[in-house]
Amino acid sequence: MTDLLLIDTAEELHKLPRTADGPRAVVMTMGALHEGHATLIRTARERAGESGQVVVTVFVNPLQFGANEDLDRYPRTLDADLEIARAAGADAVFAPAADEVYPGGDPQVRVSAGPMGERLEGATRPGHFDGMLTVVAKLLHLTRPDLALYGQKDAQQLALIRRMVTDLNFPVEVVGVPTVREEDGLALSSRNRYLSAQERRTALALSRALFAGQDRLAAQAALRARAEASPASDERATALARLGEIRSAADAHAVSAASTGLPDAVRAAARHVLEEAGRHDPPLLLDYLALVDPQDFTDVRPDFTGQAVLAVAAKVGTTRLIDNIPLEFGAHT
């Protein structure tokens, strides 16, 4: 277990000596740390190596909360956060007050998230991503890392940070770390603590819906692979059927259906689970379900190939949750 340095001013942070032989890695959080954050910190430790340095930031950023969101009740658990950060291998925690990050009050100059920031989460939470990118830019300047690690659970946030770093030439490598889930499949989130037992049962529909979409994609891909391995001519299919090879014949006829419309089939499988959860007590109130290109978060076309993100957001009780999984759509023949 490492000794941990707690820093709360930019001046102290600037005086933090860098290690000579390894990179500095930063993990940005809003506190209320859990195993997902610990995984980020451990990954940062691995990437930085024993000779490198890991800095964790703990700051509840008021710019990314809307007027009716949960800024005031967002959990502040700094003492527990420090223990988690220490155990996971952090060297320092930067935990500034709001007037340290924004000494002149709300900043007049902010980073704009652009069109991608107006989709999905941005449509539901106007201005959220502008506030997020503004604080990320400030924290990158303040911490001066070589590596910055973010969870893939916040897929749109991660995509926007990557876009900002590329567009504005930040000298940092952005590293995405896979989503950490609880045993029942619920993605780890600081907001999970708000859920009652009944609400949690309903909330499990988010991950079940994503995995249903993933399963549908795998099944359709397997069907396509079998069909493409079988002769596709009507004459050959008929001959196979006469020999009792009904499945091969059916696959041959189904190849065209299996080769197009996969995104719609994935969305439909996920939506079915969410619609059922909408009838639970308490119900799941769907905000959005989307299958998007991770480069710009626009909906993928029926003939899409490459990596996509299946994303969902919903409210259960008073708690709003998000989740997503990456999916790979293979090339069609």
Side-chain angles (χ1 to χ4, degrees):
M1 190 175 294
T2 63
D3 292 331
L4 187 71
L5 181 63
L6 175 61
I7 299 169
D8 59 12
T9 69
E11 183 179 358
E12 289 178 279
L13 184 61
H14 287 150
K15 292 178 180 178
L16 178 66
R18 301 180 70 95
T19 57
D21 301 324
R24 175 182 286 180
V26 67
V27 174
M28 298 180 186
T29 82
M30 291 207 301
L33 301 191
H34 50 62
E35 180 57 26
H37 298 108
T39 298
L40 285 169
I41 298 167
R42 287 193 293 267
T43 304
R45 181 81 272 164
E46 292 169 5
R47 289 293 302 266
E50 290 306 313
S51 60
Q53 189 177 64
V54 176
V55 177
V56 175
T57 69
V58 174
F59 178 64
V60 181
N61 177 34
L63 296 191
Q64 63 194 74
F65 286 81
N68 298 314
E69 295 184 336
D70 57 353
L71 173 61
D72 291 337
R73 73 167 184 152
Y74 196 87
R76 274 81 165 173
T77 57
L78 183 59
D79 289 342
D81 295 344
L82 295 176
E83 289 306 311
I84 291 173
R86 177 184 289 110
D91 297 298
V93 169
F94 178 49
D99 58 3
E100 183 69 26
V101 178
Y102 304 118
D106 284 355
Q108 296 184 37
V109 177
R110 306 188 186 196
V111 177
S112 170
M116 195 197 316
E118 298 172 357
R119 298 171 186 137
L120 299 188
E121 284 298 290
T124 300
R125 307 174 68 188
H128 165 72
F129 285 125
D130 292 356
M132 179 275 295
L133 289 179
T134 298
V135 80
V136 168
K138 293 201 71 163
L139 290 173
L140 287 174
H141 287 311
L142 289 168
T143 57
R144 297 169 294 157
D146 302 291
L147 307 168
L149 293 87
Y150 303 91
Q152 292 178 357
K153 184 180 81 71
D154 297 296
Q156 193 172 4
Q157 169 180 285
L158 175 58
L160 282 162
I161 292 171
R162 283 182 165 143
R163 185 80 262 170
M164 178 183 73
V165 164
T166 298
D167 288 352
L168 301 185
N169 298 103
F170 279 78
V172 62
E173 178 186 351
V174 176
V175 179
V177 178
T179 301
V180 178
R181 298 184 180 279
E182 301 192 41
E183 289 185 4
D184 57 11
L186 190 67
L188 280 171
S189 169
S190 300
R191 290 185 170 92
N192 290 353
R193 68 187 68 196
Y194 300 150
L195 298 169
S196 69
Q198 283 185 298
E199 289 171 343
R200 185 185 176 90
R201 283 193 290 272
T202 296
L204 292 177
L206 272 74
S207 57
R208 286 203 305 268
L210 297 178
F211 293 132
Q214 183 180 59
D215 290 344
R216 176 63 62 85
L217 175 61
Q220 293 287 93
L223 173 60
R224 185 174 64 248
R226 290 198 308 270
E228 290 172 349
S230 301
S233 70
D234 289 341
E235 181 180 348
R236 179 60 172 157
T238 301
L240 288 171
R242 287 175 182 153
L243 291 173
E245 299 181 33
I246 304 299
R247 185 172 185 177
S248 292
D251 285 352
H253 286 296
V255 65
S256 61
S259 297
T260 57
L262 281 176
D264 287 342
V266 168
R267 292 186 189 97
R271 187 171 295 278
H272 176 71
V273 175
L274 297 169
E275 288 175 348
E276 284 191 343
R279 296 187 285 272
H280 290 178
D281 182 19
L284 181 142
L285 303 176
L286 182 63
D287 186 345
Y288 63 76
L289 172 70
L291 184 61
V292 297
D293 185 332
Q295 297 303 311
D296 58 10
F297 270 67
T298 57
D299 289 333
V300 302
R301 300 183 307 275
D303 60 348
F304 179 83
T305 62
Q307 189 172 87
V309 172
L310 181 61
V312 63
K315 182 175 282 190
V316 182
T318 60
T319 304
R320 187 175 183 274
L321 300 170
I322 63 172
D323 201 353
N324 73 87
I325 55 171
L327 297 176
E328 186 73 28
F329 288 79
H332 305 319
T333 59

